[in-house]
Amino acid sequence: EERFEVPVSTKPAFARLTKADLFKLGGLAAFFVLMAVACVAIAPMIAELTEPGGLERVVEDVQNAGVGGVFMLLGFQFLQIVVAFIPGEVVQIAAGMMYGPWGGALIVLVGCIVSSAFIFVVVHKLGAPFVRAMIPEKWIEKFEQSEKLDVMVFVLFLIPGLPKDVFTYLVPLTNMGLRDFLFLANVGRIPGILISTFGAAGLIEGDYTQSIVLFAAAAVIAVVALVMHEKILHGLSSLKGSAGKAGRAE
């Protein structure tokens, strides 16, 4: 009986890389370099926040910067979502203290939309390996298996305390389009943003009761969400129905 053997390439792994692979690796390296540079650039300001009276000084510096201050806050919001491990409430509270509840909320929301769109496009260009290197596989599977993805995305971005910015990296791996994602995710963010900015504005205006009630309510919801996040993810991923049918954004 004649035997056939499958030929095995003797080329090293790097020699078998295509131009598309090289493009993705280059993009991935550029992305992490950009994030590292941004983190180093704002490190002094973050360090000042930990010092006595540091928050007040940072708020005053941004407010005194005029229009530049708005772009500084947008930059903070962009970095917070892209880096993903920085708590979003920090930027939201700062926005409420600097520009009031409505102005601060508007700036934060604009920053969220721009940042989410950026991540969506980057993940589409670099592909699943880029996300799998950062996100637990079990979370990726829950998103990929969900039959009611639109509801899942909206609820996850609505509940305070859940790692929304991690989810921002997962949705582009599904069949949900950019427009649907930006609408569902950022409408879901609005209540949490308003709670933070109104609570922060209350501190500035001396309305401590309002701030305590808002922050306490958000904290309770966040703690419950953190404790129950596995069950929440499992329940949402098990929803039956038609997932978002919009095609991937090109």
Side-chain angles (χ1 to χ4, degrees), residues 36-55 57-59 61-62 72 76 79:
V37 170
C39 288
V40 170
I42 69 167
M45 189 171 290
I46 294 177
E48 187 173 1
L49 290 173
T50 64
E51 299 176 357
L55 177 60
R57 290 194 297 272
V58 171
V59 169
D61 289 342
V62 175
M72 289 173 63
F76 272 116
L79 186 63

Side-chain angles (χ1 to χ4, degrees), residues 14 24-25 32 37 45 49 51 60 71 85 108 111 128 131 157 180 183 185 192 194 205 208 215 222 224:
F14 68 85
K24 291 180 180 181
L25 288 173
F32 283 115
V37 170
M45 189 171 290
L49 290 173
E51 299 176 357
E60 185 177 355
F71 285 100
F85 61 80
V108 169
V131 176
F157 279 83
D180 291 341
F183 177 79
L194 289 176
E205 297 167 1
Y208 300 116
F215 288 146
V224 172

Side-chain angles (χ1 to χ4, degrees), residues 163-228:
K164 299 176 178 59
D165 305 316
V166 172
F167 301 146
T168 304
Y169 283 88
L170 296 177
V171 177
L173 300 180
T174 69
N175 68 336
M176 180 172 285
L178 175 60
R179 183 175 59 184
D180 291 341
F181 168 62
L182 291 180
F183 177 79
L184 292 169
N186 289 292
V187 169
R189 289 182 190 270
I190 289 176
I193 292 173
L194 289 176
I195 287 174
S196 295
T197 56
F198 268 88
L203 293 176
I204 295 296
E205 297 167 1
D207 190 349
Y208 300 116
T209 301
Q210 169 184 294
S211 299
I212 291 172
V213 170
L214 289 173
F215 288 146
V220 170
I221 297 173
V223 169
V224 172
L226 285 172
V227 173
M228 303 290 291

Side-chain angles (χ1 to χ4, degrees), residues 121-189:
V121 172
V122 166
V123 171
H124 265 284
K125 294 295 183 183
L126 299 184
F130 169 67
V131 176
R132 294 181 190 279
M134 303 185 299
I135 310 298
E137 186 69 25
K138 60 182 180 180
W139 287 13
I140 297 176
E141 292 175 355
K142 290 183 185 299
F143 269 77
E144 292 176 337
Q145 296 170 2
S146 175
E147 296 186 26
K148 197 66 174 173
L149 186 61
D150 48 358
V151 176
M152 184 178 188
V153 169
F154 179 76
V155 173
L156 289 177
F157 279 83
L158 178 68
I159 301 175
L162 293 179
K164 299 176 178 59
D165 305 316
V166 172
F167 301 146
T168 304
Y169 283 88
L170 296 177
V171 177
L173 300 180
T174 69
N175 68 336
M176 180 172 285
L178 175 60
R179 183 175 59 184
D180 291 341
F181 168 62
L182 291 180
F183 177 79
L184 292 169
N186 289 292
V187 169
R189 289 182 190 270

